[in-house]
């Protein structure tokens, strides 16, 4: 029998799956041909799910450390023994130094809205240190939103109608494969594909033009494109005067980045930059797919902000097929009933998750003495791993890890709790690469003694005497509440419509920018007052971090202000 499911690994595509189950075991996984976006094909990784879920290496019982820290020697224990010990440690760590000595660490091992967020209320109620979830998208989002505002960007399907596609710092063929058929369709109709990436990855190898720039120099390249577009009269002045602010200021800034200067900063031939700018500027429907690459740098937010200004300069949002994609979906948005930030005592400190190494080795008043890891593998994913491993090896740090497999982080655990997989739980899934939402129910019961994340936190909450409603809600209660989200994107979506397990379209237009921009001015902001107010350069800044350039930019405040502000 084939059952509908969703791939919940951290990836924009969030595939619709069909899973074949025989005698309680998953024997085969394939793409669901009825899914409107992922349309029946899956990546290689997903086809290996039967072996992954029933792997002999799967952790199937709670484990307690018996060897020295980091030795990965454990013995199986009962759930009661494991959870009693975790609850007792939480008590003994918080009583002398306060609950901030406890640090939760989680990310995106399972992308379901319920389970991914099911630990927050528990740690808020404890008064544990809070975690700032910075490891993936926030720098990119902050930069992009300063230019175009919050909310979903151009739907990827639009690209099929484009005649000029730029893949900007995304390894699409590996990390977002379902976008490729839309790019291919456009190319069959004659579209040009440029890839901007310091590395000749498999996506770059398929491009018509690969701009192999130095890492961290994207803003200079984008400014040089602006300079050429403005200089050759390719800017869409109608769109600019109606829908943007700060054109005169950005024109002055772009003039400081002629292709020759960008060529020097980016390490690219000047002629290639001009060709890219002319191709983009002359296209009928220019489209950009941004990846996460440009933001993985100091000043990465500025890089994304600058790239995000290009479509407005050429009026790309007006034409079918034109636009820019960063993130899609994005509803439901109100998770507070589940995460309960109101339970967190005022003034609790926040730890930036990319500084875990420092937090474990240097933080004081109080030091972190209990680390609780779930849906993440910080020993492998957190930066400065030498510091992270040094911290994890501390004899006086108690480490709890909830996992499916013996990861690098598990090796340093004192207690490991076996986590159920995404095919063993009920949850609601949105995507960040398409505008559909999907409900999935378990296709098999949890393997061995493994348990869903929500369940584990509720059991621990009961042991600590927490009585708020959130510590006894079911998965389905949570989903019903999520479906009552006030976001307009969720209008008309209910449990009944999702029950069949098919993906349901959110109320998000494929070209959201046709309806305006969710910036403070309601326009595309070449000049951002909000950035100036934060003491940042309100104009795009093309100087790469740490690389000296021959010339410095004219300070923005020596230019006249946009008329709306003067
Ligand atoms: N199969 C698979 N798919 C995945 C994931 C996975 O683990 N496996 N992970 C998912 C997650 S969490 C994410 S965030 C996305 C990431 O998706 P992508 O953004 O596509 O992935 P990356 O490989 O991180 O980076 C993309 C490209 O950016 C380039 N790059 C690095 N620095 C720069 C720079 O300064 N400028 C420019 N222009 N390019 C630069 C890199 O060489 C790389 O080729 O993929 C998601 N999809
Ligand atoms: N070295 C390195 N570091 C990186 C990156 C990189 O490419 N390389 N990428 C960065 C990016 S973009 C991101 S988003 C982060 C990702 O950081 P994480 O979210 O921490 O990484 P993942 O490996 O996606 O998932 C964490 C764990 O979740 C577990 N898991 C997976 N599926 C399930 C499930 O269904 N149920 C349960 N209970 N557990 C499950 C996996 O076994 C895995 O160990 O890492 C960042 N750091
Ligand atoms: Mo990510």
């Amino acid at each position: 029998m084939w059952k509908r499911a969703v791939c919940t690994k951290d990836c924009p595509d969030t595939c619709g799956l069909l899973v074949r189950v025989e005698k309680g075991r998953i024997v085969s996984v394939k793409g669901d041909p009825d899914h409107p976006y992922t349309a029946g094909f899956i990546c290689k990784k997903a086809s290996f799910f039967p072996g992954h879920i029933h792997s002999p290496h799967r952790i199937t019982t709670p484990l307690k450390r018996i060897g020295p820290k980091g030795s990965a020697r454990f013995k199986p224990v009962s759930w009661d023994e494991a959870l009693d010990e975790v609850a007792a440690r939480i008590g003994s760590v918080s009583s002398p130094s306060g609950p901030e000595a406890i640090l939760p660490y989680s990310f995106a091992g399972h992308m379901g809205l319920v389970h991914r967020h099911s630990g927050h209320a528990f740690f808020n109620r404890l008064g544990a240190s809070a975690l700032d979830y910075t490891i993936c998208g926030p720098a990119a989002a902050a930069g992009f939103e300063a230019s175009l505002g919050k909310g979903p960007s151009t739907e990827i399907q639009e690209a099929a109608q484009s005649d000029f596609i730029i893949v900007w710092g995304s390894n699409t063929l590996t990390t977002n494969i379902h976008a490729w058929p839309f790019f291919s369709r456009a190319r069959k109709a004659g579209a040009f594909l440029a890839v901007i990436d310091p590395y000749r990855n498999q996506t770059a190898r398929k491009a018509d033009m690969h701009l192999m720039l130095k890492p961290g120099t994207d803003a200079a390249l984008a400014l040089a494109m602006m300079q050429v577009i403005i200089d050759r009269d390719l800017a869409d002045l109608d769109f600019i005067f109606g829908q943007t602010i700060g054109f005169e200021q950005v024109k002055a800034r772009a003039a400081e980045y002629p292709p020759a200067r960008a060529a020097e900063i980016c390490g690219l031939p000047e002629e290639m930059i001009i060709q890219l700018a002319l191709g983009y500027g002359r296209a009928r429907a220019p489209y950009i797919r941004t990846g996460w690459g440009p933001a993985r740098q100091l000043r990465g937010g500025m890089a994304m902000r600058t790239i995000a200004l290009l479509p407005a300069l050429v009026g790309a949002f007006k034409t079918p097929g034109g636009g820019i994609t960063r993130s899609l979906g994005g509803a439901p948005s109100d998770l507070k009933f589940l995460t309960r930030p109101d339970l967190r005592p005022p003034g609790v400190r926040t730890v930036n998750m990319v500084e875990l190494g420092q937090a474990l080795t240097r933080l004081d008043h109080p030091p972190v003495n209990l680390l609780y890891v779930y849906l993440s593998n910080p020993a492998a994913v957190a930066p400065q791993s030498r510091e992270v491993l040094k911290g994890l090896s501390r004899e006086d740090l108690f480490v709890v890890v909830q996992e499916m497999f013996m990861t690098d982080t598990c090796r340093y655990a004192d207690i490991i709790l076996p986590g159920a997989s995404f095919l063993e739980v009920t949850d609601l899934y949105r995507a960040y690469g398409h505008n559909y939402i999907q409900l999935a129910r378990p296709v098999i019961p949890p393997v061995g003694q493994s348990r869903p994340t929500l369940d584990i936190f509720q059991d621990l909450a009961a042991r600590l005497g927490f009585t708020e409603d959130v510590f006894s809600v079911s998965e389905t209660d949570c989903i019903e509440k999520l479906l009552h989200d006030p976001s307009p994107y969720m209008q008309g979506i209910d449990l009944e419509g999702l029950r069949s397990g098919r993906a349901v379209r959110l109320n998000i237009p494929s070209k959201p920018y046709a309806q305006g921009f969710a910036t403070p001015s309601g326009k595309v902001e070449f000049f951002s007052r909000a950035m100036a107010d934060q003491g940042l350069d309100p104009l795009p800044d093309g100087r790469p971090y740490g690389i000296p350039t021959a010339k410095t930019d004219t300070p923005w405040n020596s230019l006249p202000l946009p008329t709306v502000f003067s």
Side-chain angles (χ1 to χ4, degrees), residues 77 100 163 166 189 297 306 317 324 329 339 421 441 555:
V77 291
E100 282 181 321
D163 59 342
I166 301 181
Q297 315 289 344
T306 311
F317 299 121
I324 185 165
T339 58
S421 84
R441 299 200 184 279

Side-chain angles (χ1 to χ4, degrees), residues 10 72 77 90 205 220 268 306 311 363 392 429 441 464 486:
D10 185 354
V77 291
I90 286 174
R205 283 199 286 269
L268 287 171
T306 311
L363 203 59
L392 288 172
Y429 302 96
R441 299 200 184 279
L464 291 168

Side-chain angles (χ1 to χ4, degrees), residues 375-514:
L375 307 179
S376 185
N377 182 12
V381 306
Q384 294 179 301
S385 41
R386 202 186 324 175
E387 285 279 286
V388 174
L389 296 182
K390 195 170 140 202
L392 288 172
S393 314
R394 271 173 45 204
E395 283 299 334
D396 59 343
L397 175 73
F398 191 79
V399 179
V400 182
V401 184
Q402 185 212 293
E403 249 301 344
M404 290 172 62
F405 293 98
M406 190 56 69
T407 60
D408 293 347
T409 309
C410 284
R411 298 178 68 88
Y412 295 89
D414 292 279
I415 292 281
I416 301 175
L417 305 172
S421 84
F422 63 103
L423 293 173
E424 300 157 14
V425 300
T426 299
D427 215 326
L428 185 67
Y429 302 96
R430 65 182 176 200
Y432 58 99
H434 59 69
N435 290 325
Y436 295 85
I437 188 164
Q438 206 171 349
L439 175 78
R441 299 200 184 279
V443 294
I444 52 166
V447 166
Q449 294 179 37
S450 66
R451 289 171 67 178
T453 312
L454 178 72
D455 202 41
I456 297 173
F457 281 115
Q458 291 188 343
D459 199 334
L460 271 175
R463 277 163 214 263
L464 291 168
F466 298 168
T467 53
E468 288 80 1
D469 289 350
V470 67
F471 300 117
S472 55
V473 287
S474 67
E475 292 161 319
T476 312
D477 291 341
C478 288
I479 290 168
E480 294 227 38
K481 286 213 171 77
L482 286 168
L483 294 175
H484 281 110
D485 191 85
S487 158
Y489 304 149
M490 291 294 289
Q491 292 314 304
I493 293 171
D494 59 18
L495 200 55
E496 206 40 54
L498 291 160
R499 217 181 279 280
S500 69
R502 285 174 199 270
V504 173
R505 171 90 197 183
L506 291 162
N507 270 310
I508 297 178
S510 60
K511 290 182 72 73
Y513 300 125

Side-chain angles (χ1 to χ4, degrees), residues 63-356:
L63 298 171
K64 183 181 160 86
R65 175 165 72 91
I66 49 171
K69 277 261 174 188
S71 65
R73 287 177 49 217
F74 298 94
K75 68 166 186 189
V77 291
S78 69
W79 268 104
D80 274 339
E81 187 178 340
L83 292 182
D84 282 344
E85 170 141 13
V86 176
R89 287 290 181 151
I90 286 174
S92 64
V93 164
S94 6
S95 54
S97 34
E100 282 181 321
I102 298 165
L103 178 67
Y105 200 93
S106 72
F107 203 60
H110 174 252
M111 295 283 280
L113 285 166
V114 175
H115 291 286
R116 184 178 186 188
H117 299 103
S118 64
H120 293 55
F122 178 78
F123 292 107
N124 284 336
R125 173 71 173 77
L126 268 180
S129 291
L131 193 71
D132 198 3
Y133 291 85
T134 52
I135 208 165
C136 183
F144 199 88
E145 287 168 12
S147 297
L148 295 177
K150 279 192 192 302
S153 46
T154 309
E155 200 164 60
I156 291 173
Q157 292 89 313
E158 279 289 314
Q161 299 175 68
S162 170
D163 59 342
F164 195 96
I165 298 175
I166 301 181
V167 169
W168 202 315
S170 153
N171 189 6
T172 309
L173 274 170
T174 302
T175 60
N176 181 200
I177 53 169
H178 294 85
W180 196 254
F182 300 100
F183 301 169
S184 295
R185 211 178 297 164
R187 295 179 86 188
K188 280 195 190 114
F192 187 88
L193 176 72
V195 168
I196 300 173
D197 198 303
Y199 178 64
R200 197 160 179 78
N201 60 27
Q202 58 161 336
T203 312
R205 283 199 286 269
K206 294 251 170 23
D208 298 308
M209 182 196 272
H210 176 201
L211 293 100
M212 214 164 173
L213 81 182
K214 290 185 193 159
T217 65
D218 301 86
L221 176 60
L223 276 161
M225 288 175 70
M226 292 183 198
Q227 193 275 334
V228 174
I229 288 167
I230 297 168
D231 193 51
R232 306 283 181 105
D233 290 331
L234 294 170
D236 183 334
L237 298 179
D238 271 357
F239 186 87
I240 289 169
F241 290 122
Q243 307 253 19
T244 72
I245 56 168
F247 177 64
E248 287 306 322
Q249 290 69 26
V250 87
K251 188 173 163 184
R253 180 57 63 80
E256 306 198 37
Y257 288 85
R261 181 177 178 210
E264 187 194 318
I265 296 174
C266 305
L268 287 171
E270 184 182 342
E271 194 44 42
M272 206 178 205
I273 299 175
I274 296 169
Q275 267 182 38
L276 176 76
L278 292 179
Y280 185 78
R282 288 176 180 150
R284 169 187 47 83
Y287 169 85
I288 301 175
R289 170 52 162 151
T290 62
W292 285 258
R296 302 270 187 256
Q297 315 289 344
L298 288 158
R299 301 210 181 145
M302 183 55 90
M304 290 298 284
R305 155 155 172 72
T306 311
I307 296 165
L309 292 172
L310 287 165
L313 196 67
V314 296
F317 299 121
K318 294 196 305 202
T319 339
I324 185 165
T325 306
R326 193 189 77 78
S327 210
L328 297 164
S333 50
D334 191 359
L335 300 165
K336 290 197 189 72
F337 76 88
L338 180 60
T339 58
R340 295 296 306 269
D342 58 302
L343 294 177
R344 185 192 297 170
V348 158
R349 75 179 171 197
T350 298
V351 170
N352 184 339
M353 71 186 296
V354 297
E355 293 175 345
L356 178 66

Side-chain angles (χ1 to χ4, degrees), residues 25-45:
R25 286 177 72 88
I26 294 167
V27 294
S28 184
V29 172
K30 64 181 182 183
D32 181 353
D34 290 341
H35 191 286
Y37 176 72
T38 61
F41 85 93
I42 51 174
C43 71
K44 215 174 201 168
K45 175 180 63 205

